[in-house]
Every structure is written in structure tokens, then in C-alpha cells.
């Protein structure tokens, strides 16, 4: 009994892939017979999965909270699934058969849930609960977390010894202003509110930005029948071979009614504008001294090993980096965080941690090409893997796959999702999907997983 009351308490904010990785890490320790702390995970949505839990809503949710989701219909993985595979739960184990390398959102959502559905992990999560504020009490050395139970409209406070921030950072739009935009007669929105290409059929669409959202939303709108797609870049164009109907132009300078003017002096009329201008790291529930302040980059400052807040390592952040690696990186981070919380990993002094971060920040500053970025994040993953018993995987091979992927996109942005890769976890070669991506307009799990079988069955009868 006494032992129970002395148990350390861990609070986790968010049950997206990062928060779920933390729950899984503790579950793995528990299954190995170790005593784990008391864990509570808070999730403001009604279900887990974070970004992968698609919401048709935009603006605010049914309880008036800002909608977290930025994903949309017809979203297919933008990198090979072999680059994000959990090394403790393979795609083979989940789907029981090889699948293609670029599954649609519902299929990856299903995969994320597979390994945790087997245990009672759901019991640790309080859904429809928003973390409203956090205070660190210097006297007790505990976090006082103010929570809103949205369902019954009740505010309460709980204390934790450790706090994990896994609230994501692709949810709060960075929305620039362009002169004359207030007079633009068509729809102007941020990628965060984009829910699918259908409204842009037969329209002339302007997209501002030159990163993943711009590329993917542009290609999707082209695929689903936009009349034209114009991508406007600030620093560098995406620079792939675009099909007829898609073009890249320099930065938008201003609007005159429905005419956009660009830096090179050209103009074009548009029906709608989508700002694919990135997101802000936003933690409205954290006070100044605990808040991570960073832009989207591969090594946010002040996080030792990319996880521990250097001024107060009992505060940990997961998944705050820009991401080549995703699910497997969150796992590697969560395992390290777990070992610290279970006294299996000792951290060096604050000054030593500072030196380590400086080394990484310096390397980060020197990066130039996308290949350099891949290598940097691969080195970071290797560094993490050496610190815990998260099952090792061949990071160099994954890095090669990322580079293949970058080349494939350069070669043909419309067909790269038809390529296949080999798993570093099981050695399984991916299947070719039954329909080429450009012709596949249905992204449901049922069609993705079963259409080929039912077609085969039909042919046999
Ligand atoms: P999230 O998935 O964002 O989850 C954070 C969770 O925290 C959410 O459930 C949220 O509701 C909860 N939360 C936030 N604030 C609070 C609060 N105050 N109180 C309680 N709960 C809170 N990655 C890939 O690997 N492949 C892809 O194809 C891919 N496509 C993407 C497409 C889009 C449009 C976007 C935006 C991202 C994409 N990503 C992709 C990256 C994606 O961010 C990661 O895969 C992953 O979802 C990050 O996990 P996370 O748990 O860190 O954050
Ligand atoms: P993201 O593309 O939403 O991906 C997030 C972009 O915005 C940069 O091109 C930047 O230009 C531009 N930008 C910012 N401010 C601007 C301004 N004032 N004027 C013009 N352009 C501006 O965001 P970022 O941060 O990558 O790029 C911002 C995440 O979502 C990614 O991690 C990605 O993995 C994920 N995602 C995945 C998919 C799929 O898997 C689809 C969409 C998004 P500059 O000048 O700074 O280069 C299918």
C-alpha cells in the first residue's frame, strides 16, 4: 500500500503517435516484469491517433476547442512506410500480408493502433480532456496540471512528478498577410483547414509555400480535377518536373481583387488560395519558463537528446523535431524518456548537456541538402537507439530509402507512390498496390486491403 502511494506519477499530454509511443514504452517495461510509475494521458479529442484521427471539422470542435487535425481526405503517406515502421511491431505482424509502401491515412491509422489495442492502454487515457495550464511547484518539485473535462465542463488539478509534452506541432497555422488579400473574392484558407480536393474541381488554385503541404495539396488537387495549380515559393521552388497544369512561380506580392501579382512581375486570376505556409510550435498551456520556443527544424534548441528540457529535465517533449523519421523516432525518444523516469538512465550535468546540444546545433547549422538532413536525423536516431533497449533497426538502410524516395519524387511526382521498398524489420518486400496511385481515387482501408482479393475471387468464379 505504502509502495503504491509513493509511486511516481507521469502525465502525458496528447495521445497521438508520440503520446502512444510513451504508453507503449511503459507497457513494454511492465510486460518485462518491471514496476512502472502511475501514468495518466490527457487527450482533448475523443479518440487517439493525433493527426491520424481524421476530423471533418474545422475551426472549433463540439466543445469549442481548436480543432487539432490538419489531415484531409485522400491523404496517402508521403514517405515509404518502411521508413517509419515500428521496430517492435512490424507491418507484417499487423496486416498479416505484404502491403504497398505508401498506404493511405486510414491504413496507417489502423497500424498505429494495432500494438496498443492488444493491451489495456486505452485505460490510461482520459479523452475529451484538455490540458489548460501547467505550473511547476519548486517546493514540492511537482507539476500542477490544470485540466478541463470537456464532457462535463469541469476544471480540476492534478500533480505529477514527470510531464511529457506530446501535443504535436502541425496544428496551429502560420498565416502570412499579403496586401489586398482582404478584397480577394474567393476562398482563402490555411492547409490546416483543408479537408480534401473536391471543392477545387475546375478551379484555378493558388498555393503559397514550397514544402510538404504545398507539394501534396497541389498534387492532390491536380489529381482530383483542379483546372490549374500555381505554387508560389518564398525561398526555393520545390523544383520537380510538374505536369502540365501545375506551375511554380516566385513569391506572391499582392492581390488586386482576384488577380495575384508575383515577384517576377507576372499575374494570374485565381478562384481560391490555400496557404501552405507551415505551423507554429504552440503550447498555450505552458508558462514562459517551461515553454519550448522554436521554429520547425531538425534540432530544436534546449532539448537534450531532443527530448529533455534542459532547465528542468523532468519535463520532456516528444516529436518536436521536423520529421523525416516519424513513428520510429517517437518510439526511440519515448523509450529513452521512460528509462530516465524509471531511474534506468542517468543524465549528465546541465553543463554537459548544454555541450552535447551545442554539438548537434552546430552540425544542424552546417546542413545544406535534403540528403544532409536525412543523414543528420539518422545520426540522431542512432544516438537515441544506443541509450535504450528499443529494438535496433538498420538506420543506414532507412537513410538510403529516404534518399531513394527523394530521387523518386524528383523524377516523377505523380508516380513515386507506386514504388516499393523492403522492410528493415522483417525483410519483406512491399507489394505493388492493385491500382496506380494517380488512378486510385478511393482511399478507404477496405478498398486498399481487400479490393484485390475480391477481384481475384470474382475472376475465379
Ligand atoms: P499529433 O499527431 O499532432 O498528436 C498530438 C495530440 O495531442 C493530438 O491528439 C491532440 O489532440 C493532443 N493535444 C494537443 N494539445 C492538447 C492539450 N492541450 N490537451 C490535451 N491534448 C492535447 N507523418 C508521416 O510519417 N507520414 C505522413 O504521411 C504524414 N503526413 C502528414 C500530413 C499532414 C497534413 C500533417 C500535418 C502531418 C503529417 N505527418 C506525417 C506528420 C505527423 O505530424 C506525425 O506523423 C505524427 O502525427 C506526429 O505525432 P504527435 O503525437 O507528435 O503529434
Ligand atoms: P508544411 O509543408 O505544412 O509541412 C508540415 C512552408 O511555408 C515553407 O515552404 C516556407 O517557405 C513557407 N512559408 C512560411 N512562411 C511563408 C510566407 N510568409 N510566405 C511564403 N511562404 C512561407 O510545413 P513546413 O514547415 O515544412 O513548410 C513551411 C508537416 O506536415 C511536414 O512534416 C510533413 O511531413 C507533413 N505533411 C505531410 C503530408 C503527407 O504526408 C502532407 C502535408 C504535410 P520557406 O521560404 O521558409 O522555405 C501527404
Amino acid at each position: 500500500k505504502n509502495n503504491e502511494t509513493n509511486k511516481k506519477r507521469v502525465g502525458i499530454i496528447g495521445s497521438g503517435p508520440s503520446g502512444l509511443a510513451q504508453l507503449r514504452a511503459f507497457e513494454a517495461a511492465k510486460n518485462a516484469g518491471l514496476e512502472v510509475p502511475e501514468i495518466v494521458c490527457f487527450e482533448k479529442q475523443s479518440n487517439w491517433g493525433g493527426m491520424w484521427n481524421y476530423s471533418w471539422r474545422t475551426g472549433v470542435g463540439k466543445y469549442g476547442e481548436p480543432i487539432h487535425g490538419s489531415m484531409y481526405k485522400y491523404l496517402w503517406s508521403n514517405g515509404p512506410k518502411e521508413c517509419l515502421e515500428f521496430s517492435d511491431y512490424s507491418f507484417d505482424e499487423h496486416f498479416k500480408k505484404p502491403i504497398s509502401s505508401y498506404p493511405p491515412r486510414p491504413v496507417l491509422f489502423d497500424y498505429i493502433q494495432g500494438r496498443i489495442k492488444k493491451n489495456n492502454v486505452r485505460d490510461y487515457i482520459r479523452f475529451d480532456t484538455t490540458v489548460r495550464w501547467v505550473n511547476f511547484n519548486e517546493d514540492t518539485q511537482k507539476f500542477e496540471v490544470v485540466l478541463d473535462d470537456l464532457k462535463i465542463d469541469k476544471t480540476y488539478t492534478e500533480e505529477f512528478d514527470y510531464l511529457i509534452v506530446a501535443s504535436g506541432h502541425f496544428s496551429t497555422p502560420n498565416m502570412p498577410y499579403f496586401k489586398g488579400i482582404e478584397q480577394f473574392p474567393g476562398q482563402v484558407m490555411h492547409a490546416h483547414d483543408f479537408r480534401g480536393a473536391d471543392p477545387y474541381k475546375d478551379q484555378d488554385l493558388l498555393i503559397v509555400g514550397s514544402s510538404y503541404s504545398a507539394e501534396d495539396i497541389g498534387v492532390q488537387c491536380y489529381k482530383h480535377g483542379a483546372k490549374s495549380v500555381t505554387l508560389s515559393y518564398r525561398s526555393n521552388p520545390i523544383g520537380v518536373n510538374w505536369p502540365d497544369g501545375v506551375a511554380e512561380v516566385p513569391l506572391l506580392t499582392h492581390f488586386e481583387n482576384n488577380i495575384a501579382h508575383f515577384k517576377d512581375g507576372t499575374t494570374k486570376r485565381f478562384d481560391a488560395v490555400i496557404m501552405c505556409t507551415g505551423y507554429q510550435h504552440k503550447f498555450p498551456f505552458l508558462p514562459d519558463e517551461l515553454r519550448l520556443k522554436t521554429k520547425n527544424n531538425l534540432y530544436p534548441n534546449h532539448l537534450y537528446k531532443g527530448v529533455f528540457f534542459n532547465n528542468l529535465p523532468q519535463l520532456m517533449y516528444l516529436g518536436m523535431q521536423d520529421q523525416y523519421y516519424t513513428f520510429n523516432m517517437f518510439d526511440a525518444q519515448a523509450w529513452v524518456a521512460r528509462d530516465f523516469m524509471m531511474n534506468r538512465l542517468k543524465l549528465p550535468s546541465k553543463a554537459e548537456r548544454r555541450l552535447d546540444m551545442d554539438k548537434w546545433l552546430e552540425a544542424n547549422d552546417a546542413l545544406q541538402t535534403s540528403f544532409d538532413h536525412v543523414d543528420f536525423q539518422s545520426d540522431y536516431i542512432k544516438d537515441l537507439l544506443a541509450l535504450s533497449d528499443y529494438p535496433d533497426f538498420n538506420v543506414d538502410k532507412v537513410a538510403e530509402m529516404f534518399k531513394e524516395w527523394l530521387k523518386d519524387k524528383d523524377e516523377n511526382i505523380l508516380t513515386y507512390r507506386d514504388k516499393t521498398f523492403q522492410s528493415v524489420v522483417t525483410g519483406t518486400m512491399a507489394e505493388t498496390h492493385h491500382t496506380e496511385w494517380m488512378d486510385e481515387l478511393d482511399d478507404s482501408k477496405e478498398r486498399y486491403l481487400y479490393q484485390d482479393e475480391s477481384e481475384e475471387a470474382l475472376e475465379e468464379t
Side-chain angles (χ1 to χ4, degrees):
K1 179 100 208 302
N2 203 16
N3 197 12
E4 278 293 305
T5 43
N6 287 338
K7 249 190 178 184
K8 297 279 187 197
R9 294 194 87 214
V10 175
I12 303 172
I13 306 175
S15 68
S18 294
L20 292 176
Q22 194 62 69
L23 290 170
R24 167 75 170 183
F26 279 119
E27 204 61 14
K30 200 167 134 193
N31 291 341
L34 299 170
E35 199 189 333
V36 298
E38 187 186 335
I39 303 152
V40 190
C41 175
F42 302 104
E43 173 53 61
K44 71 176 190 175
Q45 303 188 58
S46 305
N47 198 6
W48 58 23
M51 275 299 150
W52 297 90
N53 171 27
Y54 172 78
S55 172
W56 60 270
R57 292 177 192 265
T58 55
V60 295
K62 65 176 171 178
Y63 300 112
E65 296 295 301
I67 284 291
H68 186 79
S70 304
M71 282 202 183
Y72 36 87
K73 281 188 277 179
Y74 318 132
L75 182 140
W76 294 66
S77 176
N78 67 343
K81 74 177 196 308
E82 288 75 14
C83 292
L84 54 75
E85 188 166 16
F86 299 128
S87 74
D88 73 339
Y89 186 71
S90 66
F91 281 98
D92 284 0
E93 185 176 348
H94 184 75
F95 291 106
K96 315 282 185 229
K97 63 174 187 181
I99 61 170
S100 76
S101 281
Y102 292 88
R105 183 202 56 78
V107 173
L108 284 175
F109 184 35
D110 194 65
Y111 171 62
I112 296 164
Q113 300 173 69
R115 63 179 186 170
I116 43 176
K117 268 187 178 165
K118 294 190 171 146
N119 298 305
N120 296 328
V121 165
R122 224 179 157 85
D123 296 346
Y124 295 116
I125 309 175
R126 287 189 211 156
F127 290 103
D128 298 304
T129 302
T130 289
V131 174
R132 191 63 75 209
W133 192 247
V134 175
N135 179 46
F136 184 70
N137 186 324
E138 291 287 347
D139 296 335
T140 61
Q141 290 289 302
K142 286 182 197 288
F143 296 95
E144 296 160 351
V145 180
V146 180
L147 301 147
D148 268 357
D149 185 330
L150 303 172
K151 266 188 170 155
I152 55 169
D153 193 15
K154 190 173 161 44
T155 304
Y156 62 102
T157 303
E158 289 201 6
E159 289 188 344
F160 295 94
D161 301 281
Y162 298 103
L163 193 64
I164 307 284
V165 182
S167 54
H169 58 96
F170 294 130
S171 192
T172 304
N174 169 48
M175 190 69 158
Y177 170 75
F178 293 94
K179 194 162 164 260
I181 200 166
E182 55 274 60
Q183 303 302 335
F184 183 80
Q187 185 191 47
V188 178
M189 63 147 81
H190 188 272
H192 170 64
D193 295 321
F194 179 82
R195 288 294 176 267
D198 311 80
Y200 308 99
K201 197 168 183 305
D202 301 323
Q203 293 207 351
D204 291 304
L205 176 63
L206 172 61
I207 289 181
V208 181
S210 56
S211 187
Y212 295 99
S213 294
E215 173 193 300
D216 193 60
I217 291 176
V219 168
Q220 177 179 133
C221 290
Y222 169 81
K223 174 177 168 181
H224 288 264
K227 190 155 118 206
S228 74
V229 176
T230 304
L231 300 141
S232 165
Y233 62 88
R234 179 172 66 178
S235 310
N236 298 302
I238 298 170
V240 301
N241 290 316
W242 296 106
D244 287 346
V246 184
E248 269 190 290
V249 298
L251 190 60
L252 170 69
T253 55
H254 61 285
F255 288 98
E256 266 177 328
N257 201 6
N258 59 359
I259 309 286
H261 292 250
F262 301 101
K263 236 178 160 173
D264 59 357
T266 58
T267 61
K268 186 171 161 70
R269 188 201 61 80
F270 291 101
D271 297 304
V273 182
I274 305 178
M275 299 289 180
C276 295
T277 42
Y279 294 90
Q280 307 176 37
H281 280 67
K282 188 84 186 163
F283 308 100
F285 49 86
L286 288 174
D288 236 8
E289 66 278 11
L290 302 181
R291 199 158 65 234
L292 177 68
K293 297 179 183 184
T294 181
K295 289 203 159 41
N296 188 25
N297 68 52
L298 291 174
Y299 206 88
N301 197 0
H302 306 297
L303 295 183
Y304 175 66
K305 297 294 165 197
V307 174
F308 303 95
F309 195 61
N310 203 32
N311 281 338
L312 187 69
Q314 299 97 299
L315 175 65
M316 286 150 272
Y317 285 85
L318 300 181
M320 288 303 150
Q321 297 69 15
D322 196 7
Q323 296 154 11
Y324 283 87
Y325 292 79
T326 52
F327 304 161
N328 41 8
M329 176 170 77
F330 310 149
D331 272 13
Q333 293 179 330
W335 256 250
V336 170
R338 176 203 69 187
D339 284 357
F340 169 67
M341 291 183 272
M342 290 178 62
N343 290 323
R344 286 152 51 103
L345 175 75
K346 291 268 168 289
L347 300 188
S349 72
K350 188 172 173 185
E352 284 169 294
R353 300 196 298 259
R354 183 66 264 168
L355 286 177
D356 189 67
M357 288 186 291
D358 287 344
K359 192 188 77 192
W360 284 96
L361 286 167
E362 207 176 299
N364 189 20
D365 276 349
L367 305 178
Q368 293 189 337
T369 66
S370 305
F371 280 21
D372 293 345
H373 290 140
V374 167
D375 287 336
F376 178 87
Q377 197 155 60
S378 301
D379 287 344
Y380 168 62
I381 303 281
K382 285 184 197 169
D383 195 43
L384 283 177
L385 288 177
L387 293 175
S388 84
D389 65 356
Y390 184 65
D392 233 336
F393 59 94
N394 188 339
V395 179
D396 291 327
K397 179 107 191 289
V398 175
E400 273 172 38
M401 291 195 277
F402 272 122
K403 291 175 185 174
E404 267 315 298
W405 161 74
L406 287 166
K407 282 194 247 163
D408 289 346
K409 288 207 297 181
D410 260 355
E411 256 164 46
N412 193 331
I413 194 74
L414 302 180
T415 58
Y416 79 92
R417 283 187 170 101
D418 298 322
K419 303 269 179 176
T420 49
F421 291 84
Q422 189 180 15
S423 164
V424 291
V425 180
T426 56
T428 301
M429 190 65 207
E431 278 287 311
T432 303
H433 186 45
H434 51 69
T435 308
E436 282 182 5
W437 182 76
M438 269 305 280
D439 297 328
E440 181 62 285
L441 300 178
D442 181 344
D443 66 342
S444 68
K445 189 175 93 181
E446 290 65 31
R447 167 152 174 93
Y448 178 82
L449 289 176
Y450 308 119
Q451 182 75 12
D452 50 345
E453 286 164 14
S454 51
E455 273 171 6
E456 274 165 30
L458 271 176
E459 277 163 21
E460 277 166 22
T461 52

